Amino acid sequence: RYGNGAPRITQYANVVTVINSVEHPEVLDVNHLFDRFYQGEVARTSDGSGLGLAIVASLCNRMGGSVSAQLQGNELSIAVSFRLN
């Protein structure tokens, strides 16, 4: 929805990573992407509530996994690590 083009999805062992270029990387703060109600105003194209990634982080935590984000240039990557049993 907020990316610029088709995302790339990779999996290595128990980590799934989604990488997508973003049009306005300067408005994103990866340290707050998983905070409830956080929105990069210029990146928004709809009336979202800023809850999507907060829900992802909560679900990952409850399932014993983790989620992280990284911004390199104009590419945002979000990695979800699943617990191995």
Side-chain angles (χ1 to χ4, degrees), residues 6-7 14-15 17 28-29 34 44 46-47 51 55 58 62-63 65 81:
N14 63 321
V15 180
T17 305
L28 296 178
D29 184 348
F34 302 104
R44 285 181 49 202
S46 70
D47 295 324
L51 288 174
I55 292 169
S58 178
R62 288 178 186 250
M63 294 188 301
S81 298

Side-chain angles (χ1 to χ4, degrees), residues 2-85:
Y2 301 111
N4 192 12
R8 294 188 319 272
I9 302 170
T10 62
Q11 178 187 1
Y12 180 76
N14 63 321
V15 180
V16 175
T17 305
V18 177
I19 303 166
N20 203 346
S21 61
V22 291
E23 193 170 329
H24 299 284
E26 67 278 1
V27 301
L28 296 178
D29 184 348
V30 294
N31 296 315
H32 294 286
L33 279 181
F34 302 104
D35 293 349
R36 290 178 61 191
F37 307 116
Y38 172 80
Q39 297 174 334
E41 291 300 321
V42 177
R44 285 181 49 202
T45 58
S46 70
D47 295 324
S49 62
L51 288 174
L53 289 176
I55 292 169
V56 169
S58 178
L59 286 171
C60 286
N61 185 34
R62 288 178 186 250
M63 294 188 301
S66 63
V67 63
S68 62
Q70 185 176 27
L71 185 62
Q72 292 182 318
N74 71 334
E75 286 197 332
L76 175 65
S77 62
I78 297 178
V80 177
S81 298
F82 295 95
R83 180 180 56 181
L84 295 175
N85 290 331

